[in-house]
Amino acid sequence: AQSVTQLDSHVSVSEGTPVLLRCNYSSSYSPSLFWYVQHPNKGLQLLLKYTSAATLVKGINGFEAEFKKSETSFHLTKPSAHMSDAAEYFCSGAGSYQLTFGKGTKLSVIP
Amino acid sequence: EAGVAQSPRYKIIEKRQSVAFWCNPISGHATLYWYQQILGQGPKLLIQFQNNGVVDDSQLPKDRFSAERLKGVDSTLKIQPAKLEDSAVYLCASSHQETQYFGPGTRLLVL
């Protein structure tokens, strides 16, 4: 079964500095992995997805994630944080067309 | 392309009352999901439909929750009777292959 673990419940960065949100996965087969973002009182928006093509996946709003099989990781990064990036981020893994979500990482951006 | 629609957006009820939520998926998406998201947690799958059939309802509390998707398009989720611990955001999603697209959610408060 697919499971994901988000290593940080809360990350705080200054505006203009890099963002790193960490996610590890556990799967006995090549997984499909996703990052979603949730702004307050909004639904989940798909940022990017990995489906065993390129290991470096580019998403919307300047985010990207790298699939590292040796480390079973799928960390989300962005070179320069913007105030509008403040939100909750969920890593998820797919198996049998079902998603398993991590517990979420709340990103705070300090002006 | 229109996204996943949900209504109502907010609902406040007293415990032991009943409530129903409605979801209209993206046109052409055969798979529809209902999730429960409790504050501070990731979404938890309640039920998955493929067209008008149930694929997985193993985490649906069937003594009080029910869901249907009679014509294989829109869906309703019902809670009867509601408990305090049902206070959560109820998210609907539909999928194309493994990628899920989420609606804005219905925020339920049970008093």
PDB file of all heavy atoms in Angstrom, chain B residues 83-107:
ATOM      1  N   LYS B  83     -23.131  13.957  14.565  1.00  0.00           N
ATOM      2  CA  LYS B  83     -22.477  14.023  15.859  1.00  0.00           C
ATOM      3  C   LYS B  83     -21.500  15.196  15.865  1.00  0.00           C
ATOM      4  O   LYS B  83     -21.086  15.683  14.806  1.00  0.00           O
ATOM      5  CB  LYS B  83     -21.719  12.727  16.155  1.00  0.00           C
ATOM      6  CG  LYS B  83     -22.595  11.511  16.363  1.00  0.00           C
ATOM      7  CD  LYS B  83     -21.750  10.316  16.775  1.00  0.00           C
ATOM      8  CE  LYS B  83     -22.611   9.112  17.116  1.00  0.00           C
ATOM      9  NZ  LYS B  83     -21.790   7.951  17.548  1.00  0.00           N
ATOM     10  N   LEU B  84     -21.107  15.589  17.070  1.00  0.00           N
ATOM     11  CA  LEU B  84     -20.178  16.712  17.192  1.00  0.00           C
ATOM     12  C   LEU B  84     -18.892  16.464  16.404  1.00  0.00           C
ATOM     13  O   LEU B  84     -18.342  17.374  15.776  1.00  0.00           O
ATOM     14  CB  LEU B  84     -19.845  16.965  18.664  1.00  0.00           C
ATOM     15  CG  LEU B  84     -20.989  17.394  19.569  1.00  0.00           C
ATOM     16  CD1 LEU B  84     -20.496  17.529  21.013  1.00  0.00           C
ATOM     17  CD2 LEU B  84     -21.614  18.703  19.106  1.00  0.00           C
ATOM     18  N   GLU B  85     -18.420  15.202  16.435  1.00  0.00           N
ATOM     19  CA  GLU B  85     -17.144  14.896  15.780  1.00  0.00           C
ATOM     20  C   GLU B  85     -17.233  14.878  14.254  1.00  0.00           C
ATOM     21  O   GLU B  85     -16.226  14.689  13.573  1.00  0.00           O
ATOM     22  CB  GLU B  85     -16.599  13.545  16.267  1.00  0.00           C
ATOM     23  CG  GLU B  85     -17.540  12.370  16.039  1.00  0.00           C
ATOM     24  CD  GLU B  85     -18.321  12.020  17.298  1.00  0.00           C
ATOM     25  OE1 GLU B  85     -18.694  12.952  18.057  1.00  0.00           O
ATOM     26  OE2 GLU B  85     -18.549  10.814  17.517  1.00  0.00           O
ATOM     27  N   ASP B  86     -18.435  15.088  13.713  1.00  0.00           N
ATOM     28  CA  ASP B  86     -18.568  15.194  12.258  1.00  0.00           C
ATOM     29  C   ASP B  86     -18.214  16.583  11.745  1.00  0.00           C
ATOM     30  O   ASP B  86     -18.189  16.808  10.524  1.00  0.00           O
ATOM     31  CB  ASP B  86     -20.006  14.856  11.837  1.00  0.00           C
ATOM     32  CG  ASP B  86     -20.398  13.427  12.176  1.00  0.00           C
ATOM     33  OD1 ASP B  86     -19.490  12.562  12.238  1.00  0.00           O
ATOM     34  OD2 ASP B  86     -21.601  13.184  12.404  1.00  0.00           O
ATOM     35  N   SER B  87     -17.958  17.509  12.656  1.00  0.00           N
ATOM     36  CA  SER B  87     -17.541  18.850  12.242  1.00  0.00           C
ATOM     37  C   SER B  87     -16.239  18.744  11.455  1.00  0.00           C
ATOM     38  O   SER B  87     -15.226  18.249  11.970  1.00  0.00           O
ATOM     39  CB  SER B  87     -17.339  19.747  13.461  1.00  0.00           C
ATOM     40  OG  SER B  87     -18.557  19.982  14.117  1.00  0.00           O
ATOM     41  N   ALA B  88     -16.274  19.188  10.214  1.00  0.00           N
ATOM     42  CA  ALA B  88     -15.144  19.004   9.311  1.00  0.00           C
ATOM     43  C   ALA B  88     -15.468  19.703   7.994  1.00  0.00           C
ATOM     44  O   ALA B  88     -16.559  20.234   7.804  1.00  0.00           O
ATOM     45  CB  ALA B  88     -14.890  17.519   9.050  1.00  0.00           C
ATOM     46  N   VAL B  89     -14.509  19.663   7.095  1.00  0.00           N
ATOM     47  CA  VAL B  89     -14.753  20.078   5.710  1.00  0.00           C
ATOM     48  C   VAL B  89     -14.938  18.813   4.883  1.00  0.00           C
ATOM     49  O   VAL B  89     -14.139  17.875   4.987  1.00  0.00           O
ATOM     50  CB  VAL B  89     -13.595  20.916   5.147  1.00  0.00           C
ATOM     51  CG1 VAL B  89     -13.839  21.244   3.682  1.00  0.00           C
ATOM     52  CG2 VAL B  89     -13.412  22.193   5.956  1.00  0.00           C
ATOM     53  N   TYR B  90     -15.992  18.797   4.096  1.00  0.00           N
ATOM     54  CA  TYR B  90     -16.267  17.641   3.243  1.00  0.00           C
ATOM     55  C   TYR B  90     -15.917  18.026   1.807  1.00  0.00           C
ATOM     56  O   TYR B  90     -16.501  18.947   1.236  1.00  0.00           O
ATOM     57  CB  TYR B  90     -17.716  17.186   3.402  1.00  0.00           C
ATOM     58  CG  TYR B  90     -17.921  16.591   4.780  1.00  0.00           C
ATOM     59  CD1 TYR B  90     -18.195  17.412   5.875  1.00  0.00           C
ATOM     60  CD2 TYR B  90     -17.751  15.229   5.005  1.00  0.00           C
ATOM     61  CE1 TYR B  90     -18.313  16.885   7.156  1.00  0.00           C
ATOM     62  CE2 TYR B  90     -17.870  14.690   6.281  1.00  0.00           C
ATOM     63  CZ  TYR B  90     -18.137  15.524   7.347  1.00  0.00           C
ATOM     64  OH  TYR B  90     -18.239  14.997   8.612  1.00  0.00           O
ATOM     65  N   LEU B  91     -14.940  17.335   1.287  1.00  0.00           N
ATOM     66  CA  LEU B  91     -14.413  17.633  -0.034  1.00  0.00           C
ATOM     67  C   LEU B  91     -14.887  16.594  -1.031  1.00  0.00           C
ATOM     68  O   LEU B  91     -14.891  15.396  -0.744  1.00  0.00           O
ATOM     69  CB  LEU B  91     -12.885  17.627  -0.003  1.00  0.00           C
ATOM     70  CG  LEU B  91     -12.207  18.695   0.838  1.00  0.00           C
ATOM     71  CD1 LEU B  91     -10.743  18.344   1.061  1.00  0.00           C
ATOM     72  CD2 LEU B  91     -12.328  20.055   0.182  1.00  0.00           C
ATOM     73  N   CYS B  92     -15.246  17.068  -2.195  1.00  0.00           N
ATOM     74  CA  CYS B  92     -15.577  16.193  -3.307  1.00  0.00           C
ATOM     75  C   CYS B  92     -14.480  16.345  -4.356  1.00  0.00           C
ATOM     76  O   CYS B  92     -13.953  17.447  -4.568  1.00  0.00           O
ATOM     77  CB  CYS B  92     -16.924  16.568  -3.895  1.00  0.00           C
ATOM     78  SG  CYS B  92     -17.433  15.546  -5.302  1.00  0.00           S
ATOM     79  N   ALA B  93     -14.122  15.256  -4.987  1.00  0.00           N
ATOM     80  CA  ALA B  93     -13.128  15.292  -6.051  1.00  0.00           C
ATOM     81  C   ALA B  93     -13.571  14.387  -7.181  1.00  0.00           C
ATOM     82  O   ALA B  93     -14.322  13.422  -6.968  1.00  0.00           O
ATOM     83  CB  ALA B  93     -11.761  14.845  -5.533  1.00  0.00           C
ATOM     84  N   SER B  94     -13.119  14.700  -8.382  1.00  0.00           N
ATOM     85  CA  SER B  94     -13.316  13.787  -9.500  1.00  0.00           C
ATOM     86  C   SER B  94     -11.976  13.601 -10.195  1.00  0.00           C
ATOM     87  O   SER B  94     -11.071  14.432 -10.055  1.00  0.00           O
ATOM     88  CB  SER B  94     -14.384  14.296 -10.469  1.00  0.00           C
ATOM     89  OG  SER B  94     -13.967  15.489 -11.125  1.00  0.00           O
ATOM     90  N   SER B  95     -11.839  12.523 -10.902  1.00  0.00           N
ATOM     91  CA  SER B  95     -10.513  12.228 -11.449  1.00  0.00           C
ATOM     92  C   SER B  95     -10.552  11.820 -12.903  1.00  0.00           C
ATOM     93  O   SER B  95     -11.499  11.215 -13.396  1.00  0.00           O
ATOM     94  CB  SER B  95      -9.826  11.133 -10.628  1.00  0.00           C
ATOM     95  OG  SER B  95     -10.446   9.883 -10.839  1.00  0.00           O
ATOM     96  N   HIS B  96      -9.437  12.189 -13.520  1.00  0.00           N
ATOM     97  CA  HIS B  96      -9.113  11.699 -14.855  1.00  0.00           C
ATOM     98  C   HIS B  96      -7.842  10.883 -14.699  1.00  0.00           C
ATOM     99  O   HIS B  96      -6.805  11.420 -14.304  1.00  0.00           O
ATOM    100  CB  HIS B  96      -8.885  12.854 -15.827  1.00  0.00           C
ATOM    101  CG  HIS B  96      -8.405  12.415 -17.173  1.00  0.00           C
ATOM    102  ND1 HIS B  96      -9.170  11.659 -18.018  1.00  0.00           N
ATOM    103  CD2 HIS B  96      -7.218  12.588 -17.800  1.00  0.00           C
ATOM    104  CE1 HIS B  96      -8.499  11.396 -19.125  1.00  0.00           C
ATOM    105  NE2 HIS B  96      -7.306  11.948 -19.019  1.00  0.00           N
ATOM    106  N   GLN B  97      -7.911   9.603 -14.957  1.00  0.00           N
ATOM    107  CA  GLN B  97      -6.810   8.685 -14.666  1.00  0.00           C
ATOM    108  C   GLN B  97      -6.471   8.831 -13.195  1.00  0.00           C
ATOM    109  O   GLN B  97      -7.329   8.671 -12.352  1.00  0.00           O
ATOM    110  CB  GLN B  97      -5.641   8.951 -15.606  1.00  0.00           C
ATOM    111  CG  GLN B  97      -6.026   8.715 -17.071  1.00  0.00           C
ATOM    112  CD  GLN B  97      -4.912   9.017 -18.040  1.00  0.00           C
ATOM    113  OE1 GLN B  97      -3.985   9.751 -17.740  1.00  0.00           O
ATOM    114  NE2 GLN B  97      -5.004   8.442 -19.227  1.00  0.00           N
ATOM    115  N   GLU B  98      -5.213   9.109 -12.830  1.00  0.00           N
ATOM    116  CA  GLU B  98      -4.865   9.153 -11.407  1.00  0.00           C
ATOM    117  C   GLU B  98      -4.898  10.549 -10.824  1.00  0.00           C
ATOM    118  O   GLU B  98      -4.662  10.719  -9.629  1.00  0.00           O
ATOM    119  CB  GLU B  98      -3.484   8.539 -11.193  1.00  0.00           C
ATOM    120  CG  GLU B  98      -3.476   7.029 -11.298  1.00  0.00           C
ATOM    121  CD  GLU B  98      -2.160   6.447 -10.831  1.00  0.00           C
ATOM    122  OE1 GLU B  98      -1.100   6.951 -11.255  1.00  0.00           O
ATOM    123  OE2 GLU B  98      -2.188   5.486 -10.039  1.00  0.00           O
ATOM    124  N   THR B  99      -5.180  11.571 -11.616  1.00  0.00           N
ATOM    125  CA  THR B  99      -5.131  12.939 -11.111  1.00  0.00           C
ATOM    126  C   THR B  99      -6.508  13.347 -10.618  1.00  0.00           C
ATOM    127  O   THR B  99      -7.483  13.311 -11.371  1.00  0.00           O
ATOM    128  CB  THR B  99      -4.658  13.909 -12.198  1.00  0.00           C
ATOM    129  OG1 THR B  99      -3.377  13.483 -12.649  1.00  0.00           O
ATOM    130  CG2 THR B  99      -4.557  15.316 -11.642  1.00  0.00           C
ATOM    131  N   GLN B 100      -6.574  13.755  -9.352  1.00  0.00           N
ATOM    132  CA  GLN B 100      -7.837  14.167  -8.761  1.00  0.00           C
ATOM    133  C   GLN B 100      -7.939  15.686  -8.712  1.00  0.00           C
ATOM    134  O   GLN B 100      -6.968  16.376  -8.416  1.00  0.00           O
ATOM    135  CB  GLN B 100      -7.977  13.590  -7.350  1.00  0.00           C
ATOM    136  CG  GLN B 100      -8.107  12.079  -7.349  1.00  0.00           C
ATOM    137  CD  GLN B 100      -8.450  11.514  -5.988  1.00  0.00           C
ATOM    138  OE1 GLN B 100      -8.991  12.201  -5.128  1.00  0.00           O
ATOM    139  NE2 GLN B 100      -8.147  10.250  -5.784  1.00  0.00           N
ATOM    140  N   TYR B 101      -9.142  16.182  -8.974  1.00  0.00           N
ATOM    141  CA  TYR B 101      -9.435  17.607  -8.958  1.00  0.00           C
ATOM    142  C   TYR B 101     -10.512  17.833  -7.902  1.00  0.00           C
ATOM    143  O   TYR B 101     -11.550  17.159  -7.908  1.00  0.00           O
ATOM    144  CB  TYR B 101      -9.897  18.080 -10.335  1.00  0.00           C
ATOM    145  CG  TYR B 101      -8.848  17.845 -11.405  1.00  0.00           C
ATOM    146  CD1 TYR B 101      -8.805  16.642 -12.102  1.00  0.00           C
ATOM    147  CD2 TYR B 101      -7.876  18.806 -11.682  1.00  0.00           C
ATOM    148  CE1 TYR B 101      -7.828  16.402 -13.060  1.00  0.00           C
ATOM    149  CE2 TYR B 101      -6.900  18.581 -12.644  1.00  0.00           C
ATOM    150  CZ  TYR B 101      -6.878  17.380 -13.330  1.00  0.00           C
ATOM    151  OH  TYR B 101      -5.913  17.145 -14.266  1.00  0.00           O
ATOM    152  N   PHE B 102     -10.247  18.796  -7.025  1.00  0.00           N
ATOM    153  CA  PHE B 102     -11.085  18.975  -5.852  1.00  0.00           C
ATOM    154  C   PHE B 102     -12.015  20.172  -5.990  1.00  0.00           C
ATOM    155  O   PHE B 102     -11.661  21.206  -6.578  1.00  0.00           O
ATOM    156  CB  PHE B 102     -10.217  19.173  -4.613  1.00  0.00           C
ATOM    157  CG  PHE B 102      -9.561  17.907  -4.140  1.00  0.00           C
ATOM    158  CD1 PHE B 102      -8.427  17.419  -4.752  1.00  0.00           C
ATOM    159  CD2 PHE B 102     -10.105  17.193  -3.079  1.00  0.00           C
ATOM    160  CE1 PHE B 102      -7.834  16.239  -4.333  1.00  0.00           C
ATOM    161  CE2 PHE B 102      -9.510  16.020  -2.644  1.00  0.00           C
ATOM    162  CZ  PHE B 102      -8.382  15.548  -3.264  1.00  0.00           C
ATOM    163  N   GLY B 103     -13.178  20.033  -5.392  1.00  0.00           N
ATOM    164  CA  GLY B 103     -14.083  21.152  -5.234  1.00  0.00           C
ATOM    165  C   GLY B 103     -13.682  22.012  -4.045  1.00  0.00           C
ATOM    166  O   GLY B 103     -12.751  21.675  -3.324  1.00  0.00           O
ATOM    167  N   PRO B 104     -14.404  23.109  -3.796  1.00  0.00           N
ATOM    168  CA  PRO B 104     -14.055  24.036  -2.713  1.00  0.00           C
ATOM    169  C   PRO B 104     -14.392  23.499  -1.332  1.00  0.00           C
ATOM    170  O   PRO B 104     -13.911  24.016  -0.335  1.00  0.00           O
ATOM    171  CB  PRO B 104     -14.881  25.280  -3.028  1.00  0.00           C
ATOM    172  CG  PRO B 104     -16.048  24.762  -3.799  1.00  0.00           C
ATOM    173  CD  PRO B 104     -15.536  23.611  -4.592  1.00  0.00           C
ATOM    174  N   GLY B 105     -15.219  22.458  -1.273  1.00  0.00           N
ATOM    175  CA  GLY B 105     -15.568  21.871   0.017  1.00  0.00           C
ATOM    176  C   GLY B 105     -16.787  22.490   0.655  1.00  0.00           C
ATOM    177  O   GLY B 105     -17.194  23.607   0.331  1.00  0.00           O
ATOM    178  N   THR B 106     -17.385  21.709   1.563  1.00  0.00           N
ATOM    179  CA  THR B 106     -18.469  22.193   2.413  1.00  0.00           C
ATOM    180  C   THR B 106     -17.981  22.132   3.850  1.00  0.00           C
ATOM    181  O   THR B 106     -17.592  21.067   4.328  1.00  0.00           O
ATOM    182  CB  THR B 106     -19.733  21.319   2.269  1.00  0.00           C
ATOM    183  OG1 THR B 106     -20.228  21.412   0.944  1.00  0.00           O
ATOM    184  CG2 THR B 106     -20.800  21.775   3.254  1.00  0.00           C
ATOM    185  N   ARG B 107     -18.001  23.271   4.512  1.00  0.00           N
ATOM    186  CA  ARG B 107     -17.563  23.325   5.911  1.00  0.00           C
ATOM    187  C   ARG B 107     -18.761  23.094   6.812  1.00  0.00           C
ATOM    188  O   ARG B 107     -19.707  23.876   6.805  1.00  0.00           O
ATOM    189  CB  ARG B 107     -16.918  24.675   6.208  1.00  0.00           C
ATOM    190  CG  ARG B 107     -16.293  24.779   7.593  1.00  0.00           C
ATOM    191  CD  ARG B 107     -15.546  26.098   7.744  1.00  0.00           C
ATOM    192  NE  ARG B 107     -14.457  26.203   6.785  1.00  0.00           N
ATOM    193  CZ  ARG B 107     -13.223  25.743   6.991  1.00  0.00           C
ATOM    194  NH1 ARG B 107     -12.939  25.147   8.132  1.00  0.00           N
ATOM    195  NH2 ARG B 107     -12.296  25.891   6.079  1.00  0.00           N
TER     196      ARG B 107
END
